[in-house]
Amino acid sequence: MQHGPAVRRRKLGAELRALRTSAGLTSGEAARLVGWHQSKVSRIETGTSGVKPADVRLLLDAYGVADSQLRELLLVLAGSDDGSGRHHWWHAYRGVLPPTYRDFISLESQATAMRTLETTVVPGLLQTPEYARAVTKAAVEGLPEDRLDTLVEVRLARQDVLRADPPLELSAVLDEAVLRREVGGPGVMARQLERLVEAARLPQVRLQVLPFAAGAHIGVTGPFVVFSFSSTSDLNVVVLDHLTSSLYLERKEDLQAYTEAFNALQIHALSPEDSLDYIAGTAAGA
């Protein structure tokens, strides 16, 4: 398990190494093509040192990589902006957001699909402003109002990935406790449940409720997120949130275990159609 930035460096390095190999080049030959020492290529490929977006472009050009989607993804992993301003909008909040949160947002902005188990609160991508404010205020006590406003603003800005072209495909399994826990008062919770009903009807969103009647399940160990990328499965990653940080799991064994766990949870959860009815029924009684 590693913190996000270390994982990103290693994943970027591993992908660049694979691309170099596919191009039929040794690390020494690649270094000569771009005018570097071989040790620099080795450090980049092992993730022991960071790499500038400009250097990634040099390597991708040297390897003949023309896939624009793959190039964009690798450049964003290296810290580049694609020119739209969206992928790095969070840089404006560098003084407020910890590195692990910024890293999470960058992965979220580039992922093709996101699978998440939530056991306590509504996923951030589906929160209303009032609910987001109540959750943030409870999670971080003593926040000044301006800082609280900023964190809520960031939470809402993240939701743009669901309106992107193409949008992020979100699959979420929500423990029934998420629907029953009254966050921010009855009014806030009622509006939040209505928002979930709206989201459940979106073609890119699949919501399922895991009712209390399902009993103990594999998700009792805690919530998790699995990010998937269409360009290369080697960049897929599992994210586990803790009170003061996030941990990233990248081993194939971990990815397989959490993917299988999520699939099992979907089987035990209500169907998307029944979940929509269940959420709507809960909202009507809120």
Side-chain angles (χ1 to χ4, degrees), residues 130-158:
E130 299 85 1
Y131 186 98
R133 188 177 189 85
V135 167
T136 304
K137 190 172 184 177
V140 190
E141 293 185 353
L143 272 179
E145 283 299 309
D146 58 343
R147 188 177 178 88
L148 178 59
D149 290 341
T150 299
L151 291 176
V152 172
E153 183 179 308
V154 169
R155 181 70 55 88
L156 299 179
R158 285 173 47 201

PDB file of all heavy atoms in Angstrom, residues 130-158:
ATOM      1  N   GLU A 130     -26.028  21.111   0.562  1.00  0.00           N
ATOM      2  CA  GLU A 130     -26.334  21.131   1.989  1.00  0.00           C
ATOM      3  C   GLU A 130     -25.799  19.876   2.686  1.00  0.00           C
ATOM      4  O   GLU A 130     -25.270  19.947   3.794  1.00  0.00           O
ATOM      5  CB  GLU A 130     -27.847  21.245   2.206  1.00  0.00           C
ATOM      6  CG  GLU A 130     -28.469  22.513   1.643  1.00  0.00           C
ATOM      7  CD  GLU A 130     -28.824  22.397   0.166  1.00  0.00           C
ATOM      8  OE1 GLU A 130     -28.600  21.306  -0.429  1.00  0.00           O
ATOM      9  OE2 GLU A 130     -29.322  23.381  -0.396  1.00  0.00           O
ATOM     10  N   TYR A 131     -25.965  18.747   2.028  1.00  0.00           N
ATOM     11  CA  TYR A 131     -25.479  17.489   2.599  1.00  0.00           C
ATOM     12  C   TYR A 131     -23.956  17.508   2.665  1.00  0.00           C
ATOM     13  O   TYR A 131     -23.359  17.118   3.680  1.00  0.00           O
ATOM     14  CB  TYR A 131     -25.963  16.329   1.731  1.00  0.00           C
ATOM     15  CG  TYR A 131     -25.652  14.948   2.276  1.00  0.00           C
ATOM     16  CD1 TYR A 131     -26.612  14.235   2.981  1.00  0.00           C
ATOM     17  CD2 TYR A 131     -24.419  14.349   2.049  1.00  0.00           C
ATOM     18  CE1 TYR A 131     -26.346  12.955   3.469  1.00  0.00           C
ATOM     19  CE2 TYR A 131     -24.135  13.084   2.530  1.00  0.00           C
ATOM     20  CZ  TYR A 131     -25.098  12.388   3.240  1.00  0.00           C
ATOM     21  OH  TYR A 131     -24.814  11.124   3.715  1.00  0.00           O
ATOM     22  N   ALA A 132     -23.307  17.967   1.585  1.00  0.00           N
ATOM     23  CA  ALA A 132     -21.844  18.038   1.560  1.00  0.00           C
ATOM     24  C   ALA A 132     -21.330  18.922   2.684  1.00  0.00           C
ATOM     25  O   ALA A 132     -20.320  18.614   3.332  1.00  0.00           O
ATOM     26  CB  ALA A 132     -21.375  18.577   0.209  1.00  0.00           C
ATOM     27  N   ARG A 133     -22.020  20.013   2.924  1.00  0.00           N
ATOM     28  CA  ARG A 133     -21.599  20.928   3.992  1.00  0.00           C
ATOM     29  C   ARG A 133     -21.727  20.261   5.364  1.00  0.00           C
ATOM     30  O   ARG A 133     -20.825  20.365   6.196  1.00  0.00           O
ATOM     31  CB  ARG A 133     -22.449  22.197   3.938  1.00  0.00           C
ATOM     32  CG  ARG A 133     -21.978  23.293   4.887  1.00  0.00           C
ATOM     33  CD  ARG A 133     -22.806  24.559   4.732  1.00  0.00           C
ATOM     34  NE  ARG A 133     -22.208  25.638   5.483  1.00  0.00           N
ATOM     35  CZ  ARG A 133     -21.237  26.417   5.032  1.00  0.00           C
ATOM     36  NH1 ARG A 133     -20.761  26.238   3.806  1.00  0.00           N
ATOM     37  NH2 ARG A 133     -20.734  27.383   5.780  1.00  0.00           N
ATOM     38  N   ALA A 134     -22.837  19.566   5.588  1.00  0.00           N
ATOM     39  CA  ALA A 134     -23.052  18.909   6.877  1.00  0.00           C
ATOM     40  C   ALA A 134     -22.026  17.803   7.114  1.00  0.00           C
ATOM     41  O   ALA A 134     -21.498  17.667   8.222  1.00  0.00           O
ATOM     42  CB  ALA A 134     -24.470  18.344   6.935  1.00  0.00           C
ATOM     43  N   VAL A 135     -21.741  17.023   6.086  1.00  0.00           N
ATOM     44  CA  VAL A 135     -20.764  15.934   6.209  1.00  0.00           C
ATOM     45  C   VAL A 135     -19.374  16.491   6.483  1.00  0.00           C
ATOM     46  O   VAL A 135     -18.650  16.010   7.362  1.00  0.00           O
ATOM     47  CB  VAL A 135     -20.751  15.066   4.931  1.00  0.00           C
ATOM     48  CG1 VAL A 135     -19.538  14.151   4.913  1.00  0.00           C
ATOM     49  CG2 VAL A 135     -22.015  14.234   4.845  1.00  0.00           C
ATOM     50  N   THR A 136     -18.987  17.509   5.735  1.00  0.00           N
ATOM     51  CA  THR A 136     -17.660  18.095   5.895  1.00  0.00           C
ATOM     52  C   THR A 136     -17.499  18.717   7.268  1.00  0.00           C
ATOM     53  O   THR A 136     -16.460  18.564   7.924  1.00  0.00           O
ATOM     54  CB  THR A 136     -17.403  19.157   4.809  1.00  0.00           C
ATOM     55  OG1 THR A 136     -17.588  18.578   3.518  1.00  0.00           O
ATOM     56  CG2 THR A 136     -15.989  19.700   4.910  1.00  0.00           C
ATOM     57  N   LYS A 137     -18.517  19.391   7.727  1.00  0.00           N
ATOM     58  CA  LYS A 137     -18.460  20.041   9.036  1.00  0.00           C
ATOM     59  C   LYS A 137     -18.330  19.009  10.150  1.00  0.00           C
ATOM     60  O   LYS A 137     -17.611  19.215  11.133  1.00  0.00           O
ATOM     61  CB  LYS A 137     -19.716  20.885   9.240  1.00  0.00           C
ATOM     62  CG  LYS A 137     -19.654  21.790  10.462  1.00  0.00           C
ATOM     63  CD  LYS A 137     -20.844  22.740  10.485  1.00  0.00           C
ATOM     64  CE  LYS A 137     -20.740  23.716  11.641  1.00  0.00           C
ATOM     65  NZ  LYS A 137     -21.877  24.693  11.634  1.00  0.00           N
ATOM     66  N   ALA A 138     -19.007  17.871   9.993  1.00  0.00           N
ATOM     67  CA  ALA A 138     -18.937  16.822  11.008  1.00  0.00           C
ATOM     68  C   ALA A 138     -17.594  16.093  10.965  1.00  0.00           C
ATOM     69  O   ALA A 138     -17.059  15.695  12.000  1.00  0.00           O
ATOM     70  CB  ALA A 138     -20.072  15.825  10.798  1.00  0.00           C
ATOM     71  N   ALA A 139     -17.043  15.928   9.760  1.00  0.00           N
ATOM     72  CA  ALA A 139     -15.799  15.175   9.606  1.00  0.00           C
ATOM     73  C   ALA A 139     -14.582  15.958  10.076  1.00  0.00           C
ATOM     74  O   ALA A 139     -13.611  15.379  10.570  1.00  0.00           O
ATOM     75  CB  ALA A 139     -15.612  14.762   8.139  1.00  0.00           C
ATOM     76  N   VAL A 140     -14.612  17.268   9.907  1.00  0.00           N
ATOM     77  CA  VAL A 140     -13.473  18.109  10.292  1.00  0.00           C
ATOM     78  C   VAL A 140     -13.980  19.197  11.234  1.00  0.00           C
ATOM     79  O   VAL A 140     -14.432  20.255  10.791  1.00  0.00           O
ATOM     80  CB  VAL A 140     -12.789  18.739   9.060  1.00  0.00           C
ATOM     81  CG1 VAL A 140     -11.482  19.402   9.469  1.00  0.00           C
ATOM     82  CG2 VAL A 140     -12.551  17.709   7.969  1.00  0.00           C
ATOM     83  N   GLU A 141     -13.902  18.933  12.510  1.00  0.00           N
ATOM     84  CA  GLU A 141     -14.439  19.874  13.492  1.00  0.00           C
ATOM     85  C   GLU A 141     -13.616  21.161  13.562  1.00  0.00           C
ATOM     86  O   GLU A 141     -12.410  21.154  13.353  1.00  0.00           O
ATOM     87  CB  GLU A 141     -14.477  19.212  14.871  1.00  0.00           C
ATOM     88  CG  GLU A 141     -15.459  18.053  14.983  1.00  0.00           C
ATOM     89  CD  GLU A 141     -15.533  17.514  16.402  1.00  0.00           C
ATOM     90  OE1 GLU A 141     -14.738  17.954  17.261  1.00  0.00           O
ATOM     91  OE2 GLU A 141     -16.385  16.640  16.658  1.00  0.00           O
ATOM     92  N   GLY A 142     -14.301  22.239  13.851  1.00  0.00           N
ATOM     93  CA  GLY A 142     -13.623  23.513  14.057  1.00  0.00           C
ATOM     94  C   GLY A 142     -13.180  24.228  12.800  1.00  0.00           C
ATOM     95  O   GLY A 142     -12.353  25.140  12.861  1.00  0.00           O
ATOM     96  N   LEU A 143     -13.717  23.832  11.644  1.00  0.00           N
ATOM     97  CA  LEU A 143     -13.334  24.495  10.398  1.00  0.00           C
ATOM     98  C   LEU A 143     -13.881  25.921  10.347  1.00  0.00           C
ATOM     99  O   LEU A 143     -15.065  26.147  10.631  1.00  0.00           O
ATOM    100  CB  LEU A 143     -13.887  23.732   9.195  1.00  0.00           C
ATOM    101  CG  LEU A 143     -13.052  22.596   8.600  1.00  0.00           C
ATOM    102  CD1 LEU A 143     -13.821  21.966   7.439  1.00  0.00           C
ATOM    103  CD2 LEU A 143     -11.705  23.092   8.118  1.00  0.00           C
ATOM    104  N   PRO A 144     -13.043  26.887   9.983  1.00  0.00           N
ATOM    105  CA  PRO A 144     -13.558  28.240   9.755  1.00  0.00           C
ATOM    106  C   PRO A 144     -14.562  28.209   8.601  1.00  0.00           C
ATOM    107  O   PRO A 144     -14.461  27.361   7.703  1.00  0.00           O
ATOM    108  CB  PRO A 144     -12.306  29.046   9.370  1.00  0.00           C
ATOM    109  CG  PRO A 144     -11.165  28.240   9.889  1.00  0.00           C
ATOM    110  CD  PRO A 144     -11.577  26.809   9.793  1.00  0.00           C
ATOM    111  N   GLU A 145     -15.515  29.114   8.613  1.00  0.00           N
ATOM    112  CA  GLU A 145     -16.577  29.100   7.613  1.00  0.00           C
ATOM    113  C   GLU A 145     -16.034  29.217   6.186  1.00  0.00           C
ATOM    114  O   GLU A 145     -16.534  28.564   5.272  1.00  0.00           O
ATOM    115  CB  GLU A 145     -17.569  30.233   7.886  1.00  0.00           C
ATOM    116  CG  GLU A 145     -18.519  29.942   9.030  1.00  0.00           C
ATOM    117  CD  GLU A 145     -19.394  28.724   8.771  1.00  0.00           C
ATOM    118  OE1 GLU A 145     -20.020  28.654   7.702  1.00  0.00           O
ATOM    119  OE2 GLU A 145     -19.446  27.831   9.650  1.00  0.00           O
ATOM    120  N   ASP A 146     -15.005  30.056   5.986  1.00  0.00           N
ATOM    121  CA  ASP A 146     -14.489  30.223   4.631  1.00  0.00           C
ATOM    122  C   ASP A 146     -13.830  28.949   4.113  1.00  0.00           C
ATOM    123  O   ASP A 146     -13.962  28.591   2.942  1.00  0.00           O
ATOM    124  CB  ASP A 146     -13.513  31.403   4.556  1.00  0.00           C
ATOM    125  CG  ASP A 146     -12.327  31.249   5.508  1.00  0.00           C
ATOM    126  OD1 ASP A 146     -12.408  30.424   6.443  1.00  0.00           O
ATOM    127  OD2 ASP A 146     -11.321  31.958   5.307  1.00  0.00           O
ATOM    128  N   ARG A 147     -13.137  28.234   4.996  1.00  0.00           N
ATOM    129  CA  ARG A 147     -12.509  26.982   4.595  1.00  0.00           C
ATOM    130  C   ARG A 147     -13.570  25.910   4.321  1.00  0.00           C
ATOM    131  O   ARG A 147     -13.447  25.120   3.383  1.00  0.00           O
ATOM    132  CB  ARG A 147     -11.545  26.502   5.677  1.00  0.00           C
ATOM    133  CG  ARG A 147     -10.696  25.304   5.264  1.00  0.00           C
ATOM    134  CD  ARG A 147      -9.720  24.941   6.369  1.00  0.00           C
ATOM    135  NE  ARG A 147      -8.921  23.772   6.043  1.00  0.00           N
ATOM    136  CZ  ARG A 147      -7.772  23.812   5.380  1.00  0.00           C
ATOM    137  NH1 ARG A 147      -7.292  24.966   4.980  1.00  0.00           N
ATOM    138  NH2 ARG A 147      -7.112  22.698   5.130  1.00  0.00           N
ATOM    139  N   LEU A 148     -14.611  25.909   5.132  1.00  0.00           N
ATOM    140  CA  LEU A 148     -15.714  24.987   4.921  1.00  0.00           C
ATOM    141  C   LEU A 148     -16.371  25.251   3.573  1.00  0.00           C
ATOM    142  O   LEU A 148     -16.662  24.322   2.810  1.00  0.00           O
ATOM    143  CB  LEU A 148     -16.732  25.124   6.052  1.00  0.00           C
ATOM    144  CG  LEU A 148     -17.989  24.255   5.978  1.00  0.00           C
ATOM    145  CD1 LEU A 148     -17.632  22.777   5.943  1.00  0.00           C
ATOM    146  CD2 LEU A 148     -18.914  24.555   7.159  1.00  0.00           C
ATOM    147  N   ASP A 149     -16.577  26.520   3.264  1.00  0.00           N
ATOM    148  CA  ASP A 149     -17.164  26.894   1.968  1.00  0.00           C
ATOM    149  C   ASP A 149     -16.302  26.376   0.824  1.00  0.00           C
ATOM    150  O   ASP A 149     -16.822  25.871  -0.189  1.00  0.00           O
ATOM    151  CB  ASP A 149     -17.286  28.414   1.861  1.00  0.00           C
ATOM    152  CG  ASP A 149     -18.348  28.985   2.798  1.00  0.00           C
ATOM    153  OD1 ASP A 149     -19.209  28.212   3.250  1.00  0.00           O
ATOM    154  OD2 ASP A 149     -18.302  30.203   3.061  1.00  0.00           O
ATOM    155  N   THR A 150     -14.989  26.503   0.972  1.00  0.00           N
ATOM    156  CA  THR A 150     -14.080  26.075  -0.081  1.00  0.00           C
ATOM    157  C   THR A 150     -14.141  24.569  -0.290  1.00  0.00           C
ATOM    158  O   THR A 150     -14.167  24.085  -1.433  1.00  0.00           O
ATOM    159  CB  THR A 150     -12.632  26.488   0.258  1.00  0.00           C
ATOM    160  OG1 THR A 150     -12.563  27.920   0.352  1.00  0.00           O
ATOM    161  CG2 THR A 150     -11.661  26.016  -0.815  1.00  0.00           C
ATOM    162  N   LEU A 151     -14.155  23.799   0.793  1.00  0.00           N
ATOM    163  CA  LEU A 151     -14.199  22.348   0.679  1.00  0.00           C
ATOM    164  C   LEU A 151     -15.502  21.870   0.045  1.00  0.00           C
ATOM    165  O   LEU A 151     -15.513  20.916  -0.740  1.00  0.00           O
ATOM    166  CB  LEU A 151     -14.008  21.706   2.049  1.00  0.00           C
ATOM    167  CG  LEU A 151     -12.609  21.866   2.661  1.00  0.00           C
ATOM    168  CD1 LEU A 151     -12.567  21.280   4.068  1.00  0.00           C
ATOM    169  CD2 LEU A 151     -11.551  21.198   1.779  1.00  0.00           C
ATOM    170  N   VAL A 152     -16.591  22.527   0.355  1.00  0.00           N
ATOM    171  CA  VAL A 152     -17.869  22.193  -0.271  1.00  0.00           C
ATOM    172  C   VAL A 152     -17.824  22.546  -1.750  1.00  0.00           C
ATOM    173  O   VAL A 152     -18.315  21.795  -2.606  1.00  0.00           O
ATOM    174  CB  VAL A 152     -19.030  22.924   0.424  1.00  0.00           C
ATOM    175  CG1 VAL A 152     -20.337  22.728  -0.346  1.00  0.00           C
ATOM    176  CG2 VAL A 152     -19.182  22.430   1.854  1.00  0.00           C
ATOM    177  N   GLU A 153     -17.228  23.670  -2.059  1.00  0.00           N
ATOM    178  CA  GLU A 153     -17.079  24.094  -3.453  1.00  0.00           C
ATOM    179  C   GLU A 153     -16.298  23.055  -4.254  1.00  0.00           C
ATOM    180  O   GLU A 153     -16.667  22.720  -5.388  1.00  0.00           O
ATOM    181  CB  GLU A 153     -16.356  25.444  -3.484  1.00  0.00           C
ATOM    182  CG  GLU A 153     -16.192  26.062  -4.853  1.00  0.00           C
ATOM    183  CD  GLU A 153     -15.496  27.408  -4.777  1.00  0.00           C
ATOM    184  OE1 GLU A 153     -15.958  28.264  -3.984  1.00  0.00           O
ATOM    185  OE2 GLU A 153     -14.484  27.602  -5.480  1.00  0.00           O
ATOM    186  N   VAL A 154     -15.239  22.518  -3.665  1.00  0.00           N
ATOM    187  CA  VAL A 154     -14.449  21.485  -4.328  1.00  0.00           C
ATOM    188  C   VAL A 154     -15.280  20.225  -4.537  1.00  0.00           C
ATOM    189  O   VAL A 154     -15.254  19.607  -5.610  1.00  0.00           O
ATOM    190  CB  VAL A 154     -13.187  21.157  -3.503  1.00  0.00           C
ATOM    191  CG1 VAL A 154     -12.498  19.909  -4.031  1.00  0.00           C
ATOM    192  CG2 VAL A 154     -12.223  22.335  -3.519  1.00  0.00           C
ATOM    193  N   ARG A 155     -16.030  19.833  -3.505  1.00  0.00           N
ATOM    194  CA  ARG A 155     -16.874  18.632  -3.605  1.00  0.00           C
ATOM    195  C   ARG A 155     -17.855  18.750  -4.764  1.00  0.00           C
ATOM    196  O   ARG A 155     -18.053  17.811  -5.537  1.00  0.00           O
ATOM    197  CB  ARG A 155     -17.626  18.439  -2.290  1.00  0.00           C
ATOM    198  CG  ARG A 155     -18.533  17.219  -2.217  1.00  0.00           C
ATOM    199  CD  ARG A 155     -17.720  15.939  -2.174  1.00  0.00           C
ATOM    200  NE  ARG A 155     -16.759  15.920  -1.104  1.00  0.00           N
ATOM    201  CZ  ARG A 155     -16.992  15.494   0.134  1.00  0.00           C
ATOM    202  NH1 ARG A 155     -18.180  15.041   0.456  1.00  0.00           N
ATOM    203  NH2 ARG A 155     -16.036  15.504   1.041  1.00  0.00           N
ATOM    204  N   LEU A 156     -18.447  19.908  -4.924  1.00  0.00           N
ATOM    205  CA  LEU A 156     -19.422  20.110  -5.993  1.00  0.00           C
ATOM    206  C   LEU A 156     -18.745  20.187  -7.362  1.00  0.00           C
ATOM    207  O   LEU A 156     -19.288  19.703  -8.365  1.00  0.00           O
ATOM    208  CB  LEU A 156     -20.234  21.382  -5.728  1.00  0.00           C
ATOM    209  CG  LEU A 156     -21.044  21.382  -4.422  1.00  0.00           C
ATOM    210  CD1 LEU A 156     -21.793  22.707  -4.264  1.00  0.00           C
ATOM    211  CD2 LEU A 156     -22.012  20.210  -4.384  1.00  0.00           C
ATOM    212  N   ALA A 157     -17.559  20.775  -7.412  1.00  0.00           N
ATOM    213  CA  ALA A 157     -16.830  20.865  -8.678  1.00  0.00           C
ATOM    214  C   ALA A 157     -16.450  19.478  -9.188  1.00  0.00           C
ATOM    215  O   ALA A 157     -16.419  19.230 -10.404  1.00  0.00           O
ATOM    216  CB  ALA A 157     -15.581  21.732  -8.503  1.00  0.00           C
ATOM    217  N   ARG A 158     -16.160  18.559  -8.276  1.00  0.00           N
ATOM    218  CA  ARG A 158     -15.818  17.190  -8.659  1.00  0.00           C
ATOM    219  C   ARG A 158     -16.939  16.528  -9.450  1.00  0.00           C
ATOM    220  O   ARG A 158     -16.702  15.663 -10.287  1.00  0.00           O
ATOM    221  CB  ARG A 158     -15.510  16.356  -7.423  1.00  0.00           C
ATOM    222  CG  ARG A 158     -14.171  16.617  -6.776  1.00  0.00           C
ATOM    223  CD  ARG A 158     -14.059  15.845  -5.475  1.00  0.00           C
ATOM    224  NE  ARG A 158     -14.473  14.447  -5.631  1.00  0.00           N
ATOM    225  CZ  ARG A 158     -14.864  13.667  -4.627  1.00  0.00           C
ATOM    226  NH1 ARG A 158     -14.917  14.140  -3.396  1.00  0.00           N
ATOM    227  NH2 ARG A 158     -15.220  12.423  -4.862  1.00  0.00           N
TER     228      ARG A 158
END
